[in-house]
Amino acid sequence: MRVPRFLATAALFAYIAAVALASSVLTGLDHDEHQFMASAYLAAEHNLHPYQDFPYFHMPNLVYIHAAFFRFSDYPFLCARLFSAFCAIGIALTIFLISRSLFKDDQDAGLIVAASASVLLTNSPLFASAAAQAWNHTSSTFCALLAFVFHGAALRRAVSWKFFLLSGFFLGMAIGIRLSFAPLIVPFLAVVFLSSARRSRTLWPALAAFAIGGLAANLPALYFLAAAPDKFFFGNFGYAALNTLYRQEMNYGKAMTLGAKLEFFFRVVFLQPENLLIAAVVVGSLLGALAVKIRRAVGPRSELVFLLLLLPFLYIGAFAPTPVWYQYFFAPTAFLVLVAPYGLALVSDARKRRWSAWALLIAAFLSLASGVSAKTPASVPSLFRPASWFPVRLHKVSEEIAGRLTASRGAGMKILTLSPLYAVEKKLPVYPEFATGQFAWRVSHLLSPDERERQSLVGPADVDNFVKKEPPSAILTTSEARSLREPLTQMAQRLGYLEIKLSDGSVLWIAPERRYGRS
């Protein structure tokens, strides 16, 4: 049986990788990606730091992870996309390994359950959505899942301080990448005091190790909290409040109130066939475990309790922002999938456990019939044609911009744009004040001029005076909403910049040659 098991596992890994990589390299641009890439460029190439030197509206850890791609690659955006995909693959494989470890006494059932759980997650459109962009969803979820693994290992090993250190570190990394994971601190601590570990003499040293790990992972955040507290709080809390006001101004009616958020979740997320299947197998596995005699397996039973404690706090993190977006529900879904293997692992009757495993496999095959998985075979050939990958095509546009600027002797000055990724991909200089792309620009009118200056924000009302101090070599407009890009277009026309249409439809406005000493 070893060879068939190996082949089945290899085929599963190949399938997970194909879905994640196809999503990563074939999906178009999301406006969130500009902030994540421009901030990394400024840190890597100019030694500038978020909050202190430019506005940034997330926790800081991902800035320095992405910065490595600018240091060591000529294709930083592609690297960032692949990093997101590899984190998604890591999540699916971690779920596979956790699930299989629950069935050590029945390897065939363990393989079926583990493969089915991984496939169910991979087939969810949430998986493809999270893996597709260079943002903070898969990396933070992967860290949180590793924290769960090490926390469970710490409790099983009589409160091992080494595993608590790792647990705290990875949970801290998840929070340092995406703040919505902060509520998980509550169940991580609660499960310790609910378990037999509370009577251990090593409990407090172990909890100290957990805290040290979490603080170590958040050293960048702690530094910026001390060095630039006002800008740090604005970046992580103040902007979120302004964004809600901005959406209200736009009469954006989706997912703004709690009722609308719940309606969005059930209609857009929960009722998708693949996500509905996940919910069905989770409920079925729990009901099945309650209906039969439960195995005396202390480890799986306590970890299932831990998992069930985590889920409400994961959903709190997903529902907390206003408005909520589809990809916010990836993390809760990744943990929700794990409930099914834990529930089946508690079934004491080996025959019933085997039948339950086959039922889970049928659910996994049903999920293959629709959604992202149905499109994967058609996408596979494109994985072997790098020229068709979106990050490579964006790189070509960035090269085109660099070539145009070099020809006009404008390459040495900054580009003014709400889409800085197109510039920083070829390491062309941009204004740090525009590192957030369109985000700061669209909410700037909600702040007073003094507050905008204090937070290093520039809006349409400020841009004319802003460019007088340091005129741009070019102004770039891409696919932003017309209301956002129109002030830049009008300014370029007033200043007499030369309009050039790029191959992807973007418009590059190049400063007149006289600005560079040519007549």
Side-chain angles (χ1 to χ4, degrees), residues 171-428:
L171 181 59
M173 279 298 296
I175 296 168
I177 293 172
R178 184 167 178 81
L179 190 57
S180 60
F181 285 91
L184 296 193
I185 296 172
V186 174
F188 266 77
L189 294 177
V191 74
V192 176
F193 292 101
L194 290 173
S195 69
S196 58
R198 66 185 183 277
R199 296 188 294 270
S200 172
R201 293 181 179 178
T202 60
L203 174 62
W204 293 107
L207 288 178
F210 176 80
I212 290 169
L215 291 172
N218 278 287
L219 285 176
L222 294 172
Y223 170 78
F224 294 121
L225 177 61
D230 181 52
K231 291 185 175 182
F232 178 83
F233 275 103
F234 179 80
N236 285 287
F237 301 101
Y239 170 77
L242 292 181
N243 188 49
T244 300
L245 292 175
Y246 167 74
R247 292 291 177 179
Q248 290 172 343
E249 273 192 348
M250 292 177 60
N251 293 319
Y252 184 81
K254 298 179 182 178
M256 293 291 289
T257 65
L258 179 58
K261 289 178 181 181
L262 290 170
E263 189 272 338
F264 174 89
F265 169 72
F266 281 104
R267 179 176 54 84
V268 178
V269 181
F270 183 76
L271 291 180
Q272 284 190 303
E274 300 86 356
N275 297 333
L276 197 57
L277 263 175
I278 291 174
V281 299
V282 166
V283 172
S285 66
L286 290 176
L287 293 177
L290 292 173
V292 299
K293 186 178 180 181
I294 295 178
R295 299 170 72 191
R296 292 186 176 181
V298 177
R301 190 166 56 196
S302 63
E303 286 170 23
L304 177 58
V305 171
F306 181 23
L307 192 55
L308 294 175
L309 280 174
L310 283 172
L311 285 171
F313 291 89
L314 285 161
Y315 279 105
I316 288 172
F319 278 104
T322 301
V324 298
W325 298 103
Y326 182 77
Q327 62 271 14
Y328 295 176
F329 296 97
F330 172 65
T333 302
F335 280 82
L336 184 66
V337 168
L338 268 176
V339 174
Y342 274 104
L344 297 183
L346 294 179
V347 176
S348 59
D349 188 302
R351 185 169 173 270
K352 291 180 180 179
R353 195 163 62 246
R354 185 69 64 90
W355 279 110
S356 298
W358 284 109
L360 190 62
L361 183 63
I362 291 171
F365 274 112
L366 287 174
S367 73
L368 282 166
S370 63
V372 65
S373 57
K375 303 174 185 177
T376 299
S379 301
V380 169
S382 297
L383 291 176
F384 298 95
R385 295 195 299 269
S388 68
W389 297 356
F390 179 78
V392 173
R393 288 188 282 122
L394 184 141
H395 186 87
K396 294 291 185 184
V397 176
S398 186
E399 287 182 330
E400 184 181 359
I401 293 170
R404 295 283 190 176
L405 289 176
T406 300
S408 67
R409 296 186 181 180
M413 297 182 70
K414 294 174 182 175
I415 298 174
L416 179 62
T417 179
L418 301 180
S419 301
L421 173 53
Y422 284 90
V424 302
E425 172 69 9
K426 277 297 291 180
K427 303 178 183 178
L428 300 174

